[in-house]
Amino acid sequence: MPALVWYKDRKSNIANQAAAALAGLSPEEMAGRPDSDFFPAEAVARYREDDLLVLQSEAPLFDRRESLGSLDKPHHFRVDRVPYRSEAGDVIGLIVMASDITRQEEVE
C-alpha cells in the first residue's frame, strides 16, 4: 500500500511502524506516547482539530492536505481519517492514512 497507516486512540496516542518511521523513531520508542511528543506544536494542533471532528461526528474526514517540515525537507500529505470502532460499535480511536504527495505538490 503506498500510504502510511496508523492508529490513534482517543487521547492521541499513536503507535506503529509507519508513524514511527515518519517521526524518525523505532516503534518501541513511539508506543503509547502522544503525537505531541513527536511533531511540532502547530502541526499537532491541526491534527487534533481534525481528530476531534472525526471522534465527535463518528464520520470519516477525507482529503485533508497537511505539510510537515520537521523532516529532512518539507513533505506534503493527503490525509484521511476514519473512526475506529470496538466490537460493540463504540468509537475508540481513529485510523489515519497519509499519502505522500510531495512530488505532486512540487510539480504543481
Side-chain angles (χ1 to χ4, degrees), residues 51-102:
D51 292 351
L52 189 58
L53 208 84
V54 172
L55 293 171
Q56 289 179 339
S57 70
E58 298 188 3
L61 182 62
F62 296 114
D63 199 25
R64 298 297 265 201
R65 303 296 167 121
E66 298 177 2
S67 296
L68 185 60
S70 65
L71 302 171
D72 56 339
K73 67 174 188 168
H75 285 291
H76 306 280
F77 297 91
R78 177 187 175 267
V79 180
D80 299 320
R81 290 172 171 80
V82 296
Y84 182 73
R85 298 180 183 276
S86 68
E87 288 184 26
D90 300 318
V91 175
I92 57 173
L94 54 131
I95 302 293
V96 181
M97 295 157 283
S99 299
D100 190 334
I101 58 169
T102 303

Side-chain angles (χ1 to χ4, degrees), residues 29-40:
E29 292 171 304
M30 182 170 266
R33 293 171 57 192
D35 51 7
S36 59
D37 283 359
F38 309 105
F39 300 106

